[in-house]
């Protein structure tokens, strides 16, 4: 991270006392005697700690283990923050896989064996070596602690045969079958961030009590149990192997309500809000117009928002009714008028920038007349002139589920309900808390539902894997399997032939729109806003739904050595106003 220094000096001479001020440090006043003493000896000025306060909507009651799933937490836990504490073997950046804890790797010809060479000298935050034995144990423990959720966060954990550590720097992962997404899954911090072996019991279950008060990773920061009931404080990992982050500490203040987050930013209670889930379109637009705050929007989509159907019952067991929804939704209006440009229109399930997703597929334009025609053909007509279509005495009345824990999505759902109403649907929107929403979706207790792809490195790999009914924990995507060639997802997940992998993706990603199996309508792009007096800017990480504190470019104080240098110049009469470094 590029560093920026602002240096200003005020020189005042009173008797034999010299006063030096480093512009970006809050140096407390000293007595004349102490200043004189400092002038006659090497200055021992401690640098003020550089800290920044961010926010999250929930507490981290599940603790700070890298694996977080629905059986451990009623929310996403530390998932969005995990990269600050845990590293993975590889990362996905700029369209390719690069080494992180592993500096290089080889893949066997049959695609069933991956050999990783680890970087030398890496340690966990307590000083324990991060060697091959530690990595082996961490990966094996992830499979154990995922439990019933194994496979839900990537296919890899279900096809590992053995993990070997023949020497301290070599890890060999042997698979029962080839899996094209192996490197991708290894790049996901939840569940495959590498964890200190001291965090596991003999049976490889994680030590839940220990993880309540500490992180156990190799990342730039660590947690040591500092929580006052509303604010968590994290400090630098003294053993971190990468570039030292700018902030010595960072804090996460728990603020459930997004409007309250904005008020906290305005009052100075927090310094930044990162992520579209924490910042509404209205708030982002408002802050962007205020010179006291800086804002940024990431160009690359994080995930796709779409309307899912319960195709097991009327009316969405009828393709024409699903197509009518496709034509009835005005994506541009929702993006521009509702989300105010903070989401972009989506007409495909995955962004074309995602691996294997640059496919020529059917897209649908806004055409309410076509939607009305399709509903007429499906037998849904307004027989009594009340504006609501009916068929055989049953009104075209639906319940649409969503959870408003995510930015401005509630406004989008109301807009979609209104647009569907214009072609004869009656849509009752139901805003649920997260757990109730997921329970209803798993039980099929909905007609249509706001759904999202999983985002980041989970797209498209894990979403597509969960279209396979033999492994799926996804109640919406699994319905797509009925319209796909039998066994095609299973074939994909054991293929090492890149041309065949692309061919299968083409089949899947063209079938979905051709059969109108879901209605993509908006791409989530990540947002950030910050106090411009304290922060210069924010650089989104490669998987931008996650928050990396190292991406914050702080307006911070001069390093202590720099302060000491300028103090000496002042005391010696060599520092002049207007001098800059």
């Amino acid at each position: 991270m590029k560093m920026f220094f602002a240096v200003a000096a005020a020189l005042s001479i009173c008797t034999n006392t010299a006063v030096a001020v480093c512009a970006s440090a809050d140096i407390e006043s000293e007595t004349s005697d102490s200043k004189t003493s400092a002038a006659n000896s090497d200055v021992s000025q401690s640098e003020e700690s550089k800290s920044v306060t961010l926010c999250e909507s929930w507490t981290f009651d599940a603790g700070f283990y890298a694996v977080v799933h629905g059986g451990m937490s009623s929310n996403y836990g530390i998932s969005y923050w995990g990269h600050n504490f845990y590293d993975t073997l590889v990362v996905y950046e700029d369209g390719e896989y690069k080494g992180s804890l592993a500096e290089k790797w080889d893949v066997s010809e049959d695609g069933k064996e991956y050999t990783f060479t680890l970087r030398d000298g890496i340690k966990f935050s307590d000083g324990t070596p991060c060697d091959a034995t530690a990595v082996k144990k961490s990966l094996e423990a992830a499979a154990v602690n995922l439990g019933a959720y194994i496979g839900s966060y990537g296919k890899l954990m279900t096809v590992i045969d053995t993990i070997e550590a023949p020497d301290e720097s070599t890890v060999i992962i042997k698979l029962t079958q080839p899996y094209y997404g192996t490197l991708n899954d290894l790049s996901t911090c939840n569940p495959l961030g590498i964890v200190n072996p001291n965090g596991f019991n003999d049976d490889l279950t994680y030590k839940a009590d220990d993880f309540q008060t500490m992180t156990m990773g190799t990342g730039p920061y660590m947690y040591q149990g500092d929580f006052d009931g509303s604010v968590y404080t994290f400090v630098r990992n003294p053993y971190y192997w990468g570039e030292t982050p700018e902030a010595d500490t960072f804090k996460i203040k728990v603020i459930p309500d997004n409007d309250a987050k904005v008020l906290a930013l305005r009052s100075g209670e927090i310094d930044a809000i990162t992520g579209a889930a924490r910042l509404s379109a209205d708030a982002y637009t408002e802050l962007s117009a205020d010179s006291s705050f800086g804002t940024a929007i990431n160009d690359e989509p994080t995930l796709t928002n779409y309307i899912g159907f319960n195709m097991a019952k009327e009316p969405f067991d009828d393709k024409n009714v699903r197509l009518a929804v496709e034509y009835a939704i005005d994506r541009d209006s929702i993006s521009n008028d509702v989300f105010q440009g903070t989401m972009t229109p989506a007409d495909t399930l995955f962004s074309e920038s995602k691996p294997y997703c640059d496919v020529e597929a059917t897209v649908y334009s806004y055409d309410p007349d076509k939607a009305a025609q399709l509903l007429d053909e499906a037998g849904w007509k307004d027989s009594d002139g009340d504006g609501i279509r009916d068929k055989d005495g049953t009104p075209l009345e639906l319940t649409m589920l969503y959870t408003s824990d995510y930015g401005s999505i509630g406004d989008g759902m109301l807009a979609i309900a209104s647009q569907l109403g214009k072609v004869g649907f009656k849509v009752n929107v139901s805003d649920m808390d997260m757990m109730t929403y997921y329970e209803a979706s798993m039980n099929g207790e909905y007609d249509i539902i706001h759904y999202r792809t999983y985002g980041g490195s989970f797209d498209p790999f894990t979403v597509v894997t969960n279209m396979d009914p033999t492994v799926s924990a996804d109640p919406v995507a699994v319905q797509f399997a009925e319209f796909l060639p039998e066994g095609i997802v299973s074939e994909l997940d054991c293929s090492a032939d890149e041309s065949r992998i692309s061919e299968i993706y083409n089949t899947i990603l063209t079938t979905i729109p051709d059969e109108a199996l879901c209605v993509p309508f908006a791409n989530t792009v990540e947002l950030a806003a910050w106090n411009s007096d304290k922060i210069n800017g924010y650089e989104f990480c490669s998987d931008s739904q996650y928050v990396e504190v190292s991406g914050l470019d702080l307006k911070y104080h001069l390093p202590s050595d720099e302060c000491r240098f300028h103090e000496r110049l002042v005391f010696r009469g060599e520092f002049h106003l207007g001098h800059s470094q």
Side-chain angles (χ1 to χ4, degrees):
M1 180 67 62
K2 187 178 290 184
M3 298 182 178
F4 296 91
F5 300 100
V7 181
L11 182 61
S12 173
I13 301 176
C14 180
T15 353
N16 292 325
T17 305
V19 179
V21 179
C22 287
S24 43
D26 295 327
I27 302 174
E28 295 182 358
S29 299
E30 303 179 64
T31 65
S32 296
D33 288 343
S34 65
K35 293 175 186 174
T36 302
S37 175
N40 293 329
S41 63
D42 286 338
V43 179
S44 180
Q45 175 71 48
S46 62
E47 180 187 358
E48 181 185 337
S49 175
K50 299 179 287 291
S51 183
V52 63
T53 301
L54 307 174
C55 59
E56 186 51 279
S57 300
W58 49 76
T59 58
F60 304 133
D61 291 344
F64 295 88
Y65 179 39
V67 175
V68 182
H69 59 64
M72 298 164 62
S73 175
S74 61
N75 54 51
Y76 297 109
I78 67 160
S79 293
Y80 293 120
W81 304 88
H83 288 266
N84 296 289
F85 319 118
Y86 297 100
D87 294 309
T88 49
L89 287 176
V90 298
V91 294
Y92 185 72
E93 292 179 348
D94 305 320
E96 62 179 330
Y97 295 100
K98 300 178 181 179
S100 181
L101 293 180
E103 62 180 358
K104 61 181 180 179
W105 59 90
D106 295 301
V107 185
S108 63
E109 286 190 13
D110 64 2
K112 294 169 64 175
E113 186 171 306
Y114 287 73
T115 301
F116 296 89
T117 301
L118 303 181
R119 297 183 189 275
D120 291 333
I122 296 180
K123 297 180 179 181
F124 293 99
S125 54
D126 67 352
T128 299
C130 180
D131 56 17
T133 301
V135 171
K136 175 181 184 296
K137 189 171 187 177
S138 179
L139 295 177
E140 291 173 340
V144 170
N145 289 292
L146 280 167
Y149 291 83
I150 194 167
S152 299
Y153 293 79
K155 177 76 172 180
L156 176 63
M157 301 308 290
T158 67
V159 297
I160 290 179
D161 185 14
T162 62
I163 302 174
E164 300 174 2
D167 58 57
E168 65 180 15
S169 62
T170 305
V171 177
I172 302 173
I173 301 176
K174 294 183 177 181
L175 310 181
T176 58
Q177 63 179 53
Y179 172 50
Y180 76 108
T182 294
L183 291 177
N184 180 79
D185 288 7
L186 287 169
S187 74
T188 58
C189 193
N190 179 15
L192 296 182
I194 302 303
V195 178
N196 192 322
N198 295 327
F200 305 110
N201 299 305
D202 291 341
D203 62 358
L204 295 182
T205 56
Y206 75 105
K207 296 178 179 177
D209 289 344
D210 290 354
F211 280 101
Q212 284 291 321
T213 57
M214 68 180 76
T215 53
M216 300 190 194
T218 59
Y221 292 97
M222 63 183 187
Y223 181 59
Q224 296 178 310
D226 188 351
F227 177 54
D228 67 4
S230 65
V231 177
Y232 295 90
T233 299
F234 305 89
V235 299
R236 280 182 183 166
N237 171 7
Y239 296 100
Y240 182 51
W241 58 277
E243 183 179 352
T244 302
E246 292 186 13
D248 298 301
T249 65
F250 77 93
K251 302 174 188 290
I252 299 176
K253 184 173 180 62
V254 179
I255 307 176
D257 180 71
N258 279 355
D259 290 337
K261 291 182 179 72
V262 175
L263 292 175
L265 180 63
R266 287 193 171 278
S267 70
E269 191 176 352
I270 62 174
D271 302 311
I273 304 172
T274 54
R278 305 171 190 90
L279 192 61
S280 71
D282 287 341
Y284 180 83
T285 302
E286 173 189 314
L287 292 169
S288 295
D290 190 331
S291 61
S292 298
F293 303 97
T295 56
I297 185 167
N298 194 36
D299 294 332
E300 184 67 24
T302 299
L303 53 81
T304 306
N305 296 271
Y306 67 92
I307 296 299
F309 302 111
N310 188 339
M311 293 183 282
K313 62 180 185 179
E314 282 193 320
F316 295 115
D317 57 347
D318 187 329
K319 178 180 175 179
N320 274 357
V321 180
R322 300 195 301 270
L323 281 170
V325 177
E326 287 272 16
Y327 284 111
I329 294 179
D330 186 348
R331 296 166 175 83
D332 288 336
S333 173
I334 291 171
S335 175
N336 296 327
D337 300 334
V338 178
F339 297 135
Q340 301 176 48
T342 62
M343 290 191 185
T344 57
D347 47 27
T348 57
L349 183 59
F350 302 110
S351 166
E352 291 181 353
S353 63
K354 297 290 185 181
Y356 306 107
C357 294
D358 189 5
V359 170
E360 288 188 16
T362 303
V363 296
Y364 298 92
S365 300
Y366 176 55
D367 189 341
D369 292 336
K370 179 68 173 177
Q373 177 189 334
L374 288 163
L375 290 172
D376 284 342
E377 293 174 3
W380 293 95
K381 300 181 180 181
D382 183 5
S383 61
D384 57 6
D386 66 351
I388 301 171
R389 293 173 181 268
D390 56 85
K391 181 180 179 180
D392 300 330
T394 301
L396 190 56
E397 183 172 0
L398 316 169
T399 297
M400 178 166 63
L401 306 188
Y402 75 98
T403 179
S404 59
D405 68 327
Y406 203 89
S408 301
I409 204 65
D411 295 332
M413 293 304 96
L414 292 174
I416 287 173
S418 175
Q419 291 174 357
L420 292 177
K422 292 177 181 178
V423 297
F425 290 91
K426 180 180 180 181
V427 180
N428 304 305
V429 295
S430 181
D431 177 11
M432 297 180 167
D433 66 84
M434 188 187 306
M435 293 307 295
T436 305
Y437 165 88
Y438 281 120
E439 182 178 355
S441 66
M442 293 298 291
N443 293 333
E445 297 169 354
Y446 66 93
D447 298 306
I448 54 177
I449 187 170
H450 166 248
Y451 220 64
R452 300 190 290 264
T453 60
Y454 310 155
S457 55
F458 293 114
D459 291 356
F461 302 87
T462 307
V463 177
V464 172
T465 291
N466 280 333
M467 295 176 191
D468 183 348
T470 65
V471 301
S472 183
D474 187 321
V476 176
V478 73
Q479 297 178 84
F480 301 170
E482 182 180 341
F483 301 85
L484 298 171
E486 185 176 356
I488 194 171
V489 177
S490 296
E491 180 189 351
L492 171 69
D493 281 343
C494 66
S495 178
D497 182 346
E498 282 293 321
S499 63
R500 179 57 180 153
I501 291 169
S502 296
E503 199 173 87
I504 293 174
Y505 264 99
N506 187 78
T507 298
I508 293 171
L509 297 182
T510 55
T511 300
I512 289 170
D514 286 350
E515 295 293 334
L517 302 183
C518 65
V519 182
F521 66 89
N523 293 312
T524 292
V525 290
E526 295 304 329
L527 312 173
W530 58 85
N531 181 339
S532 57
D533 285 337
K534 190 165 184 178
I535 297 171
N536 287 310
Y538 179 64
E539 181 180 346
F540 295 94
C541 66
S542 57
D543 197 343
S544 59
Q545 65 180 327
Y546 301 110
V547 181
E548 288 190 5
V549 176
S550 60
L552 290 166
D553 180 11
L554 304 182
K555 292 182 177 177
Y556 63 90
H557 307 323
L558 288 169
S560 56
D561 287 344
E562 195 80 8
C563 287
R564 294 167 188 162
F565 171 74
H566 289 298
E567 283 178 329
R568 292 189 188 103
L569 289 180
V570 172
F571 290 134
R572 296 170 186 169
E574 299 173 21
F575 191 93
H576 304 284
L577 294 177
H579 176 88
S580 62
Q581 180 73 6

